[in-house]
Amino acid sequence: MTSKNPGTYTNIKIDDNNRFLYMFYAYGSSIADWNHCRPVIAIDATFLKSKYRGVLTISVSKDANNQIFPLAFGIAESENNNSYEWYFSHLRNAIRSCENLIFLSDRHQAIANGIVKVYPESHHGICIYHLEQNLKRRKVKSEVIKLFQSAARVYKRKEFDIYMLDIANVNKKTYDYLMEEPQERWARSCSPQRRYDMLTTNIVESMNSVLLEARELPILRMMDFIQVKLQHWFYERRNKAEGTFYDVSCWVEEELKNRIDVAFTLNESWLKTYERQIHPVGHADSWIVPESVKSQIVKPPDFKVPPGRRQKKRHIPATEPSKIKFKCGRCRRIGHNRTACIYSPALHPFSRKHRGVEIYTYVYRLF
């Protein structure tokens, strides 16, 4: 694979019995071209649904066109301190480090521990969406949640203090709960580094949705799926970047010229981001595999299949709005069922619903 895609970084860890433990890989194109993206890396893990389960760890960033830029992938048996520390160590070997680097994730403690050990000089921010969900689980009023959203998104520290004071006046317990988490981790105005308007890990969740079908496949087939997807992304985005141009006439106002200069700059960064492509690796028969790799035997992980059917869909927490739409069986409108229908006409006294009452009354009169 490295000959087809130069600069690709891969590593596999096995136990003493040659059983699979961890895996990390990042394409050479992603490693080389990430320098033209924003220095913010969002990271998260999602469950695999194949025979041996496990988790798929994904690191992504954003390019100059505000699109998802896939950076690195990892596979482990679960989210724990050892797996994340191993993942971050190889991520650092692949992309090194850069000035003002920020990691963005949920509040998983294993992620925080891995970043502190491997990237002690980088800042770690948390997703405000996950923090908001924690507030909803605590039955916090919507008024306080809106104040929290405003406090997290404002740019000036004075405005942040005003919103936090309002939260303290409305709900002191919620204020104390928010102050338990360092403000520089979730508030934009308190962050020591620029977050580039990336306050949530939605880009990772979007990547998880793209790979929803692939997560049900075996590891090798899943990797093939990811590679084909990234090939199309890099190819299409480079073509779009090459086709973007601006025609500036001499009569254009100075302000518009400045905007055009910025747009040219952004287009150049976008083009450099996808300057190198991800190429297909071809059939396995055409690979030139070293003897040291051929002789290495990697057994499946030591995993016991639990009883019951495999879970295919994620559990939707109570804090998320339901996507199920009810349709009334009488008026055929969406949003309610036939029991709560107020649009259907009154029932006829001899309808099926009233027959039971009529029969009961008749039998009662016989006695």
Side-chain angles (χ1 to χ4, degrees):
M1 180 179 291
T2 55
S3 60
K4 300 289 184 179
N5 294 281
T8 298
Y9 183 95
T10 61
N11 202 296
I12 297 178
K13 183 177 182 179
I14 57 178
D15 61 10
D16 297 335
N17 297 322
N18 292 335
R19 291 192 175 276
F20 177 87
L21 286 179
Y22 313 132
M23 178 180 181
F24 175 93
Y25 73 101
Y27 288 100
S29 302
S30 298
I31 296 174
D33 298 337
W34 179 70
N35 296 326
H36 304 288
C37 296
R38 305 173 189 181
V40 181
I41 299 177
I43 182 172
D44 194 12
T46 182
F47 291 102
L48 299 178
K49 304 173 185 178
S50 58
K51 178 180 179 180
Y52 296 101
R53 307 295 174 90
V55 294
L56 173 66
T57 306
I58 304 175
S59 297
V60 297
S61 186
K62 278 189 176 182
D63 60 18
N65 198 39
N66 207 33
Q67 291 178 300
I68 299 175
F69 182 82
L71 183 57
F73 301 90
I75 300 173
E77 81 283 2
S78 64
E79 294 184 90
N80 53 60
N81 292 333
N82 293 332
S83 62
Y84 271 117
E85 183 178 351
W86 187 88
Y87 177 88
F88 281 116
S89 63
H90 287 283
L91 180 65
R92 186 174 188 117
N93 291 338
I95 67 171
R96 304 302 175 183
S97 183
C98 67
E99 189 178 359
N100 301 328
L101 177 62
I102 291 182
F103 286 95
L104 185 61
S105 70
D106 56 17
R107 301 181 69 187
H108 203 292
Q109 190 59 40
I111 299 179
N113 295 337
I115 294 175
V116 169
K117 288 187 177 181
V118 182
Y119 283 93
E121 75 284 0
S122 301
H123 177 63
H124 179 208
I126 61 175
C127 172
I128 64 173
Y129 172 79
H130 289 85
L131 189 55
E132 178 184 331
Q133 296 304 305
N134 292 342
L135 296 180
K136 291 182 178 179
R137 295 188 188 98
R138 296 168 63 91
K139 307 299 181 182
V140 176
K141 297 181 179 179
S142 59
E143 175 187 359
V144 179
I145 292 179
K146 291 181 180 178
L147 291 173
F148 159 74
Q149 293 175 345
S150 301
R153 296 180 181 277
V154 293
Y155 289 89
K156 297 182 179 179
R157 182 60 184 266
K158 292 183 179 180
E159 297 180 5
F160 170 80
D161 294 336
I162 293 176
Y163 283 116
M164 292 302 295
L165 181 61
D166 293 339
I167 293 177
N169 294 333
V170 177
N171 192 328
K172 186 63 167 56
K173 291 184 178 180
T174 302
Y175 173 82
D176 296 336
Y177 172 77
L178 292 175
M179 295 302 292
E180 292 177 359
E181 188 71 42
Q183 303 170 10
E184 61 271 13
R185 296 189 65 188
W186 57 273
R188 193 210 307 260
S189 59
C190 303
S191 177
Q193 307 294 347
R194 184 179 176 184
R195 293 183 62 159
Y196 294 86
D197 202 29
M198 293 176 61
L199 303 178
T200 67
T201 56
N202 289 344
I203 56 175
V204 189
E205 299 295 340
S206 300
M207 194 70 187
N208 292 340
S209 300
V210 172
L211 304 179
L212 184 61
E213 298 180 3
R215 285 154 47 194
E216 299 181 7
L217 303 174
I219 292 180
L220 295 181
R221 301 287 77 79
M222 180 185 67
M223 295 176 63
D224 291 339
F225 183 97
I226 294 175
Q227 177 168 344
V228 172
K229 179 65 67 174
L230 299 191
Q231 283 178 212
H232 292 168
W233 282 6
F234 273 63
Y235 179 76
E236 292 174 357
R237 293 175 184 179
R238 186 184 66 176
N239 290 342
K240 290 182 179 179
E242 290 177 346
T244 305
F245 62 92
Y246 296 88
D247 184 13
V248 184
S249 303
C250 58
W251 49 268
V252 179
E253 297 180 1
E254 189 66 26
E255 182 179 357
L256 182 58
K257 287 184 179 180
N258 294 334
R259 295 181 182 179
I260 296 299
D261 291 339
V262 173
F264 268 123
T265 304
L266 294 178
N267 182 62
E268 183 180 357
S269 298
W270 192 29
L271 181 59
K272 289 183 178 179
T273 304
Y274 301 100
E275 188 174 12
R276 296 181 56 178
Q277 293 293 293
I278 297 180
H279 303 284
V281 297
H283 195 271
D285 296 338
S286 63
W287 298 355
I288 303 176
V289 183
E291 292 297 331
S292 58
V293 177
K294 289 183 178 180
S295 60
Q296 187 175 10
I297 300 176
V298 180
K299 299 179 182 179
D302 188 9
F303 176 78
K304 295 182 180 179
V305 180
R309 184 180 299 177
R310 299 179 193 172
Q311 179 185 345
K312 296 294 184 179
K313 297 182 180 179
R314 63 182 287 264
H315 293 292
I316 300 178
T319 55
E320 291 187 11
S322 177
K323 297 182 180 180
I324 301 176
K325 295 183 179 180
F326 296 95
K327 189 174 183 180
C328 180
R330 290 183 181 148
C331 68
R332 315 305 297 177
R333 299 191 184 189
I334 298 176
H336 65 276
N337 53 20
R338 59 187 300 151
T339 305
C341 182
I342 60 175
Y343 301 100
S344 60
L347 296 177
H348 193 273
F350 296 104
S351 63
R352 184 176 301 176
K353 184 176 181 180
H354 291 276
R355 288 177 185 174
V357 180
E358 295 287 343
I359 295 175
Y360 177 80
T361 305
Y362 177 77
V363 174
Y364 177 76
R365 289 179 181 177
L366 292 179
F367 291 95

